[in-house]
Coordinates of all heavy atoms in Angstrom, one line a residue:
V445 N 114.8 87.5 87.6 CA 115.6 87.5 88.9 C 115.6 89.0 89.3 O 115.3 89.3 90.6 CB 117.0 86.9 88.7 CG1 117.8 87.1 90.0 CG2 116.9 85.5 88.2
A446 N 116.1 89.9 88.5 CA 116.3 91.3 89.0 C 114.9 91.9 89.4 O 114.9 92.7 90.3 CB 116.9 92.1 87.9
A447 N 113.9 91.6 88.6 CA 112.6 92.2 88.9 C 112.0 91.6 90.2 O 111.5 92.4 91.1 CB 111.6 91.9 87.8
A448 N 112.3 90.3 90.4 CA 111.8 89.7 91.7 C 112.6 90.2 92.9 O 112.1 90.5 94.0 CB 112.0 88.2 91.7
L449 N 113.9 90.5 92.8 CA 114.7 91.1 93.8 C 114.3 92.5 94.1 O 114.4 92.9 95.3 CB 116.2 91.0 93.4 CG 116.9 89.6 93.5 CD1 118.3 89.6 92.9 CD2 116.9 89.1 94.9
Y450 N 114.0 93.2 93.1 CA 113.5 94.6 93.3 C 112.2 94.6 94.2 O 112.1 95.3 95.1 CB 113.2 95.3 92.0 CG 112.7 96.7 92.1 CD1 113.6 97.8 92.2 CD2 111.4 97.0 92.1 CE1 113.2 99.1 92.2 CE2 110.9 98.4 92.2 CZ 111.9 99.3 92.3 OH 111.4 100.7 92.4
V451 N 111.3 93.7 93.8 CA 110.1 93.5 94.6 C 110.3 93.1 96.0 O 109.8 93.6 96.9 CB 109.1 92.6 93.8 CG1 107.9 92.2 94.8 CG2 108.6 93.1 92.5
A452 N 111.2 92.1 96.1 CA 111.6 91.6 97.4 C 112.2 92.8 98.3 O 111.9 92.9 99.5 CB 112.5 90.4 97.4
G453 N 113.0 93.5 97.6 CA 113.6 94.7 98.3 C 112.6 95.7 98.8 O 112.6 96.2 99.9
A454 N 111.6 96.0 97.9 CA 110.5 96.9 98.2 C 109.7 96.4 99.4 O 109.4 97.2 100.3 CB 109.7 97.1 97.0
C455 N 109.4 95.1 99.4 CA 108.6 94.6 100.5 C 109.4 94.7 101.8 O 108.8 95.0 102.9 CB 108.2 93.1 100.2 SG 107.1 92.9 98.8
S456 N 110.7 94.2 101.8 CA 111.5 94.2 103.0 C 111.7 95.7 103.4 O 111.7 96.0 104.6 CB 112.9 93.6 102.7 OG 112.7 92.2 102.2
G457 N 112.0 96.6 102.5 CA 112.2 98.0 102.9 C 111.0 98.6 103.6 O 111.1 99.4 104.4
A458 N 109.8 98.3 103.0 CA 108.6 98.9 103.5 C 108.4 98.5 105.0 O 108.1 99.2 105.9 CB 107.4 98.4 102.7
L459 N 108.6 97.1 105.3 CA 108.4 96.7 106.6 C 109.5 97.2 107.5 O 109.2 97.5 108.7 CB 108.5 95.1 106.6 CG 107.2 94.5 105.9 CD1 107.5 93.0 105.7 CD2 105.9 94.8 106.6
F460 N 110.8 97.2 107.1 CA 111.9 97.6 108.0 C 111.7 99.1 108.3 O 111.8 99.5 109.4 CB 113.2 97.3 107.2 CG 114.4 97.8 108.0 CD1 114.8 97.1 109.1 CD2 115.1 98.9 107.6 CE1 116.0 97.5 109.7 CE2 116.2 99.4 108.3 CZ 116.7 98.6 109.4
F461 N 111.6 99.9 107.2 CA 111.6 101.4 107.4 C 110.2 101.8 107.9 O 110.1 102.8 108.6 CB 111.9 102.1 106.1 CG 113.4 102.0 105.7 CD1 113.7 101.5 104.5 CD2 114.3 102.5 106.5 CE1 115.0 101.4 104.1 CE2 115.6 102.5 106.2 CZ 116.0 101.9 105.0
G462 N 109.1 101.0 107.7 CA 107.8 101.4 108.3 C 107.9 101.4 109.8 O 107.4 102.2 110.5
R463 N 108.5 100.3 110.3 CA 108.7 100.3 111.8 C 109.5 101.4 112.3 O 109.2 102.1 113.4 CB 109.3 98.9 112.2 CG 109.6 98.8 113.7 CD 108.5 98.8 114.5 NE 108.7 98.5 115.9 CZ 108.0 98.8 116.9 NH1 106.9 99.6 116.7 NH2 108.3 98.5 118.2
L464 N 110.6 101.7 111.7 CA 111.5 102.9 112.0 C 110.8 104.2 111.9 O 111.1 105.1 112.7 CB 112.8 102.8 111.2 CG 113.7 101.6 111.4 CD1 115.0 101.8 110.6 CD2 114.0 101.4 112.9
T465 N 109.9 104.3 110.9 CA 109.2 105.5 110.7 C 108.3 105.9 112.0 O 108.2 107.0 112.4 CB 108.4 105.5 109.4 OG1 109.3 105.4 108.3 CG2 107.6 106.8 109.2
D466 N 107.6 104.8 112.4 CA 106.7 105.0 113.6 C 107.6 105.3 114.9 O 107.1 106.0 115.8 CB 105.9 103.8 113.8 CG 104.7 103.8 112.9 OD1 104.2 104.9 112.4 OD2 104.2 102.6 112.6
L467 N 108.8 104.7 114.9 CA 109.6 104.9 116.1 C 110.4 106.2 116.1 O 110.4 106.9 117.1 CB 110.6 103.8 116.1 CG 110.1 102.4 116.6 CD1 111.2 101.4 116.5 CD2 109.5 102.4 118.0
F468 N 111.0 106.6 115.0 CA 111.9 107.7 115.0 C 111.5 109.0 114.2 O 112.2 109.9 114.1 CB 113.3 107.3 114.5 CG 113.9 106.1 115.2 CD1 114.0 104.8 114.7 CD2 114.2 106.4 116.5 CE1 114.6 103.9 115.5 CE2 114.9 105.4 117.3 CZ 115.0 104.1 116.8
G469 N 110.3 108.9 113.6 CA 109.7 110.1 113.0 C 109.7 110.0 111.5 O 110.5 109.2 110.8
R470 N 108.9 110.7 110.9 CA 108.7 110.7 109.4 C 109.8 111.3 108.7 O 110.4 110.8 107.7 CB 107.4 111.5 109.0 CG 106.0 110.9 109.4 CD 105.9 110.0 110.5 NE 104.6 109.6 110.8 CZ 104.2 108.5 111.5 NH1 105.1 107.7 111.9 NH2 102.9 108.3 111.7
K471 N 110.4 112.5 109.2 CA 111.4 113.2 108.4 C 112.7 112.5 108.4 O 113.3 112.3 107.4 CB 111.7 114.6 109.1 CG 112.7 115.3 108.4 CD 112.7 116.8 108.6 CE 113.7 117.6 107.7 NZ 113.6 119.0 107.7
K472 N 113.2 111.9 109.5 CA 114.4 111.2 109.6 C 114.4 110.0 108.5 O 115.4 109.8 107.7 CB 114.7 110.6 110.9 CG 115.1 111.6 112.0 CD 115.5 110.9 113.2 CE 115.9 111.9 114.3 NZ 116.2 111.2 115.6
L473 N 113.3 109.4 108.5 CA 113.2 108.2 107.6 C 113.0 108.6 106.1 O 113.5 107.9 105.2 CB 112.1 107.3 108.0 CG 112.6 106.2 109.0 CD1 113.6 105.3 108.4 CD2 113.1 106.8 110.3
F474 N 112.2 109.7 105.8 CA 112.1 110.0 104.4 C 113.3 110.6 103.9 O 113.5 110.7 102.6 CB 110.8 110.8 104.1 CG 110.7 112.2 104.6 CD1 111.6 113.2 104.4 CD2 109.5 112.5 105.4 CE1 111.4 114.5 104.8 CE2 109.3 113.7 105.9 CZ 110.3 114.8 105.6
M475 N 114.2 111.0 104.7 CA 115.6 111.5 104.2 C 116.5 110.2 104.0 O 117.2 110.1 103.0 CB 116.2 112.4 105.2 CG 115.5 113.7 105.4 SD 115.4 114.8 103.9 CE 117.1 115.3 103.8
I476 N 116.4 109.3 104.9 CA 117.2 108.1 104.9 C 116.9 107.3 103.7 O 117.7 106.8 102.9 CB 117.2 107.3 106.2 CG1 117.9 108.1 107.3 CG2 117.8 105.9 106.0 CD1 117.7 107.5 108.7
T477 N 115.6 107.0 103.5 CA 115.1 106.1 102.4 C 115.4 106.7 101.1 O 115.9 105.9 100.1 CB 113.6 105.9 102.5 OG1 112.9 107.1 102.6 CG2 113.3 105.0 103.7
L478 N 115.4 108.0 100.9 CA 115.8 108.6 99.6 C 117.3 108.5 99.4 O 117.8 108.2 98.3 CB 115.4 110.0 99.5 CG 115.6 110.8 98.2 CD1 115.0 110.0 97.0 CD2 115.1 112.2 98.3
G479 N 118.0 108.6 100.5 CA 119.4 108.4 100.4 C 119.9 107.0 99.9 O 120.7 106.8 99.2
V480 N 119.1 106.0 100.5 CA 119.3 104.6 100.1 C 119.1 104.4 98.7 O 119.8 103.7 97.9 CB 118.5 103.6 101.0 CG1 118.5 102.2 100.4 CG2 118.9 103.7 102.5
Y481 N 117.9 104.9 98.2 CA 117.6 104.8 96.8 C 118.7 105.5 95.9 O 119.1 104.9 94.9 CB 116.3 105.6 96.5 CG 116.1 105.9 95.0 CD1 115.6 104.9 94.2 CD2 116.4 107.1 94.5 CE1 115.5 105.2 92.8 CE2 116.3 107.4 93.1 CZ 115.8 106.4 92.3 OH 115.7 106.6 91.0
L482 N 119.1 106.7 96.3 CA 120.1 107.4 95.4 C 121.4 106.6 95.3 O 122.0 106.4 94.2 CB 120.5 108.7 96.0 CG 119.3 109.8 95.9 CD1 119.7 111.0 96.7 CD2 119.1 110.1 94.4
A483 N 121.9 106.1 96.4 CA 123.2 105.3 96.4 C 123.0 104.0 95.6 O 123.9 103.7 94.9 CB 123.6 105.0 97.9
A484 N 121.9 103.3 95.8 CA 121.7 102.0 95.2 C 121.6 102.3 93.6 O 122.1 101.5 92.9 CB 120.5 101.3 95.7
T485 N 120.8 103.3 93.2 CA 120.6 103.5 91.8 C 121.9 103.9 91.2 O 122.3 103.5 90.0 CB 119.6 104.6 91.6 OG1 118.4 104.3 92.2 CG2 119.4 104.9 90.1

Side-chain angles (χ1 to χ4, degrees):
V445 178
L449 286 172
Y450 181 88
V451 169
C455 295
S456 303
L459 294 170
F460 178 75
F461 287 120
R463 175 60 172 157
L464 296 183
T465 298
D466 281 334
L467 286 176
F468 300 113
R470 292 21 176 160
K471 179 161 187 170
K472 285 182 181 178
L473 271 298
F474 65 58
M475 296 297 287
I476 291 172
T477 53
L478 183 55
V480 171
Y481 163 81
L482 288 172
T485 301

